[in-house]
Amino acid sequence: GATKNQVDVVSTATNTVIGTIDVPAETLYLTLDTARKQLFVANGDETLGPGAITVIDTDTNTVKGTTPLVGSPRMPVLDSQSGILFVAQTDEDNGPGTVSMIDARTNTVLTSVKVGISPADPALDAARHRLYVPTSTPDLIDVIDTQGNKVIAHVKAGRAVDFLVLDAPHRRLFAVRMNGITVINTKTNKPTAVIKLPVAVDNGPPALDAARQRLYVPTASQRGYIVIVD
């Protein structure tokens, strides 16, 4: 929004701002729940203290509740079928991270799972009940069984994973780092290949065309390239 503590509502029919919603703290991420007509706003500071999930009613564009968190949130991931919102959080003292499971119907924390240091944005395979959480301990991806709510595997994916891209139909997970991509078999939770990139990646999440088996990776802004991976 115009300030750190607002969310702007834009009409895509008229391309105009039709509302502004005040939220408690800086907006870090947005996740939409169309089934329940609500928007989850991950609030907080990227480096300091606990955050919260602010819940907005998208019919009225008003705040309907706030769910406190133990750490600073990463991108929330919603399993729309089960109605569970998964929120990875970092610890301000660089201690173990946390993944909270939130009931999207009541906006209450059901349980939490400890993961490695400084978790990044997770990826969800809802059909197989797996949540993949990149961490810095030591450069592992923690695999969480979302039915048992426990970490069942640690996958070594290389240093400083920035983004995860799930290719569920082909049972693959792409762990994208600054200068390479580790390809992981999600059936075995084992790396199967490492792809070296010709230029550095640090400019936003990649896009996957699973049907054509193409991964489009934006590179550092000063280079101006998009790398296409088969």
Side-chain angles (χ1 to χ4, degrees), residues 125 128 130 132 143 152-153 155 166-173 183-192:
D125 187 341
R128 299 186 62 245
R130 296 289 183 266
Y132 301 91
V143 184
I152 59 171
V155 184
L166 179 67
D167 182 2
H170 299 99
R171 295 279 184 99
R172 292 181 301 199
L173 182 71
V183 185
I184 298 161
N185 182 323
T186 59
K187 186 175 181 180
T188 63
N189 290 321
K190 301 291 185 183
T192 60

Side-chain angles (χ1 to χ4, degrees), residues 135-152:
T135 76
S136 300
T137 315
D139 307 315
L140 297 175
I141 296 173
D142 287 349
V143 184
I144 295 176
D145 176 351
T146 60
Q147 287 185 313
N149 294 324
K150 61 181 180 180
V151 177
I152 59 171

Side-chain angles (χ1 to χ4, degrees), residues 79-131:
D79 182 346
S80 56
Q81 185 171 359
S82 69
I84 303 298
L85 184 75
F86 299 93
V87 188
Q89 300 146 69
T90 60
D91 185 285
E92 63 178 319
D93 297 321
N94 289 324
T98 302
V99 175
S100 294
M101 288 70 167
I102 297 173
D103 188 332
R105 290 157 292 207
T106 62
N107 298 313
T108 55
V109 177
L110 299 174
T111 189
S112 295
V113 177
K114 288 295 183 184
V115 292
I117 293 172
S118 300
D121 297 346
L124 175 67
D125 187 341
R128 299 186 62 245
H129 310 290
R130 296 289 183 266
L131 185 75

